Amino acid sequence: MTEDNVVSFLKVKQQQIDSNLDQLEVVKKFTEKHVKPKSLVGIVKKQLKLRGISYRVSFPSCDLTGFDKKAVVIFPEERLIFAFVSKPMTGKGVEGWTVEQCICSEKHQPIDYTGFIINKISEAKHNGQKTAKTQPVS
């Protein structure tokens, strides 16, 4: 009998929490899951392609030593590299390029990473490469 009361209480408590959130937040909560960098970058690439944004997965003048080459998106015109990683890597960079590390976490959906990439690209085009100052998704 006591276990039933606890389960009922937890359900009521969860319903109260859900009623305070908007519908988008509830959907994000149910679809949240830990995503590996390679699968996340695949989803992000599809979303970028659907939006008509061109990208590269490799570039001859770009030395990607130390990065997972299957979890990188490169934008040569803006000199931007987005590396999708499980844990933050310090000291990783490519000379002459801006490297943004997108840390895969349960908090962010693929659309969040796509939005971050689009914002970074537009900042780089508008302000020039040296002045783009967007906070990375972490």
Side-chain angles (χ1 to χ4, degrees):
M1 187 72 168
T2 315
E3 292 176 11
D4 292 337
N5 289 340
V6 171
V7 171
S8 298
F9 175 74
L10 291 175
K11 285 183 182 178
V12 169
K13 195 70 169 166
Q14 188 62 43
Q15 287 173 346
Q16 289 174 344
I17 292 169
D18 289 345
S19 67
N20 293 335
L21 299 174
D22 65 0
Q23 292 179 352
L24 179 62
E25 292 299 320
V26 173
V27 169
K28 277 187 173 184
K29 184 177 146 207
F30 282 112
T31 59
E32 247 178 29
K33 60 183 175 182
H34 182 68
V35 181
K36 294 182 180 179
K38 289 179 187 176
S39 59
L40 179 64
V41 81
I43 296 168
V44 170
K45 285 178 186 178
K46 287 179 186 177
Q47 290 178 353
L48 290 171
K49 189 178 281 189
L50 288 173
R51 292 173 187 240
I53 298 171
S54 61
Y55 59 87
R56 302 277 308 256
V57 292
S58 65
F59 198 68
S61 68
C62 186
D63 180 26
L64 295 175
T65 305
F67 292 103
D68 184 1
K69 291 173 180 59
K70 293 183 180 180
V72 207
V73 181
I74 303 170
F75 297 93
E77 291 102 28
E78 293 81 20
R79 309 286 293 173
L80 286 170
I81 299 172
F82 292 92
F84 290 81
V85 294
S86 300
K87 298 176 187 172
M89 299 185 303
T90 57
K92 295 286 182 183
V94 178
E95 189 175 332
W97 292 76
T98 302
V99 179
E100 294 290 338
Q101 293 183 17
C102 298
I103 300 157
C104 303
S105 72
E106 297 174 356
K107 298 178 192 173
H108 301 285
Q109 298 293 314
I111 192 73
D112 298 328
Y113 295 103
T114 305
F116 172 70
I117 291 171
I118 291 170
N119 288 338
K120 257 325 238 193
I121 291 170
S122 65
E123 280 185 21
K125 285 181 180 178
H126 184 268
N127 298 332
Q129 187 62 29
K130 299 293 182 192
T131 60
K133 300 259 190 238
T134 303
Q135 294 297 320
V137 176
S138 58

